[in-house]
Amino acid sequence: MFIGTEILSIAGSVMPGEAIVEDATFCPAPQPAPQPATCSESPISVTGPGATVIDEIPPTFTSMPPDMTVDATGPSDTLVQYQAPTATDNAPGAVSVSCSSASGGMFMVGTTSVACTATDVSGNSATATFSVTVQNTFDSLCRVSSLEVTNGGVAHSLCVKLEGAADAVSAGDLTSADGKVGAYVNEVDAQSGKSVTDQQAQDLEGLAQLLMP
C-alpha cells in the first residue's frame, strides 16, 4: 500500500479549520522529490467531512521597533513608549501581537530585552525581540535636569556640577567627583517644591546617587 502526500491548489481563501466546498486542482506530490508535480487539467470538487484546511505556517513580522536608548527619568523606572510591532499571516484571520514589556510601561535602568509574539487564528506563533536601554550618565542626567527644572539658571548650575563630576571621574579624581555629585544633590534638594516638584527632586537625587563613584 502506498502512503504519500497530495497537494490541493485551492483558488479561493478558506479559513483554517473550515471545510473545503469549492473546486480545487489536484496535484499528486512528486515521488521522489524533486520531480515536479503533475496537476490535473480539470478542477475536481473537494467537499465532505475531513476535507479541511490545516494551517501550520506561523505569522511573519512586518515591522519591529528598533533597539532603543532613552535617558533615565527615575532611579527605579522610566516610562518608555515604542511603536507597536505588526505581523501578517498566510491564512485569513486576525493576527494578535503581544510583547513581554508593553509600550508605555516602566523600564529599569539598564538593558531590557523585549520579546514580541505574533499568533494567528490557528495558534501558530512567531517571536522577535528588540532591546530597550535606559541609560543613566552624567550627560543624560544633565538633559533630564534641563527638562524638569523650570528655572533655567538652576538647571544650568546643576549641569555644570554634573560636567565637573564627569571630568573628575575621567581624571581619576573620585573624591572630587563625589563632592560635585553631592553638591548637585544638595542643590536639587534645595529646589524641591520650587523649580522642581518633590517627586522630580526625589528622582533626580536618586539618579545622581547611582552615579556616585
Side-chain angles (χ1 to χ4, degrees):
M1 179 178 66
F2 173 77
I3 299 177
T5 302
E6 295 174 351
I7 301 173
L8 293 177
S9 178
I10 304 168
S13 295
V14 182
M15 286 288 292
E18 288 186 357
I20 302 171
V21 292
E22 57 186 282
D23 289 342
T25 302
F26 174 73
C27 306
Q31 297 290 335
Q35 296 177 359
T38 302
C39 301
S40 61
E41 295 182 358
S42 58
I44 60 174
S45 179
V46 182
T47 59
T52 58
V53 172
I54 299 175
D55 177 21
E56 296 180 339
I57 301 176
T60 300
F61 280 95
T62 52
S63 69
M64 278 290 294
D67 293 341
M68 305 171 58
T69 298
V70 299
D71 292 340
T73 57
S76 58
D77 47 38
T78 295
L79 188 148
V80 176
Q81 293 182 322
Y82 57 82
Q83 187 171 0
T86 58
T88 187
D89 193 46
N90 64 300
V95 178
S96 64
V97 179
S98 61
C99 296
S100 56
S101 298
S103 175
M106 308 304 285
F107 288 72
M108 298 184 65
V109 173
T111 300
T112 300
S113 179
V114 181
C116 299
T117 302
T119 306
D120 64 18
V121 294
S122 297
N124 303 305
S125 62
T127 302
T129 62
F130 68 100
S131 65
V132 174
T133 298
V134 178
Q135 64 178 357
N136 182 40
T137 66
F138 291 110
D139 286 342
S140 69
L141 185 52
C142 173
R143 288 191 293 270
V144 173
S145 300
S146 297
L147 289 173
E148 296 189 349
V149 176
T150 58
N151 185 310
V154 172
H156 175 72
S157 175
L158 292 172
C159 283
V160 168
K161 292 177 174 62
L162 293 172
E163 291 167 2
D167 291 341
V169 170
S170 297
D173 188 352
L174 300 185
T175 300
S176 176
D178 185 77
K180 293 182 184 300
V181 171
Y184 170 93
V185 170
N186 291 336
E187 186 169 2
V188 170
D189 189 61
Q191 291 296 317
S192 180
K194 300 175 183 177
S195 62
V196 288
T197 66
D198 292 340
Q199 183 60 57
Q200 288 173 327
Q202 182 178 339
D203 289 340
L204 293 175
E205 290 172 19
L207 289 171
Q209 289 166 354
L210 290 177
L211 293 173
M212 287 282 198

